[in-house]
Amino acid sequence: MRAFFINRKILLKTYKLTEIFSGLEKIPCLKRLFGKNTAEILNKVKVCVKNNNYYFYIAPKSGNIIASKKYIQNGAKWMIYLDILHELARIKQFREGKNLYDMKYTYAKRKTEINAYKFCTKEAKRIGRSKKQIINYLKVPWISKKDCMELAGK
């Protein structure tokens, strides 16, 4: 995570991922996720900064990241780091043609979410986050405490 930097001086507009988040191409788990084309793929990802109350999510039509300006400017670096990893795992799924928003399943039961959370929580452990910190990271307003604990167990 030492190589990861956040440009917090942002406006409400669309950026290249690498204009806001630098050093991602050096992160081993992303190299494993995207392979030899990691830098090229990361350079193509767009981030649309908005005034919203969400953290990050993938736009269902474009596959770009929609990001909260307030979160980028004020969020804890390690949490933003994990969220970007989570969304990059989802971008890979999107590019593979997977349905990221399959309404047959609740958020915490979607395989795409489970796999993306597995990816970023594995990295959370690698960077030394405690189980309590990881559970706090998984707590988001749109899932229940039970779903959060279920995700933490996967």
Side-chain angles (χ1 to χ4, degrees), residues 90-100 112:
R90 308 240 318 127
I91 285 172
K92 182 174 187 210
Q93 296 166 346
F94 177 86
R95 290 180 176 189
E96 291 171 344
K98 295 182 178 160
N99 182 355
L100 302 185
T112 54

Side-chain angles (χ1 to χ4, degrees), residues 108-109 114 117-118 121 125 149-154:
K109 300 260 192 252
I114 292 167
Y117 277 115
K118 279 183 184 177
T121 55
K125 292 172 188 170
M149 296 311 288
E150 193 173 310
L151 278 174
K154 292 185 176 187

Side-chain angles (χ1 to χ4, degrees), residues 132-154:
K132 183 178 179 181
Q133 287 175 311
I134 292 169
I135 290 170
N136 279 337
Y137 165 73
L138 293 171
K139 286 180 186 173
V140 290
W142 53 89
I143 66 171
S144 68
K145 185 176 180 179
K146 179 183 174 220
D147 284 344
C148 173
M149 296 311 288
E150 193 173 310
L151 278 174
K154 292 185 176 187

Side-chain angles (χ1 to χ4, degrees), residues 45-46 58-65 87 91 94-95 100:
V45 174
K46 302 281 187 230
I58 302 301
K61 291 192 176 164
S62 68
N64 293 327
I65 297 173
E87 298 308 338
I91 285 172
F94 177 86
R95 290 180 176 189
L100 302 185

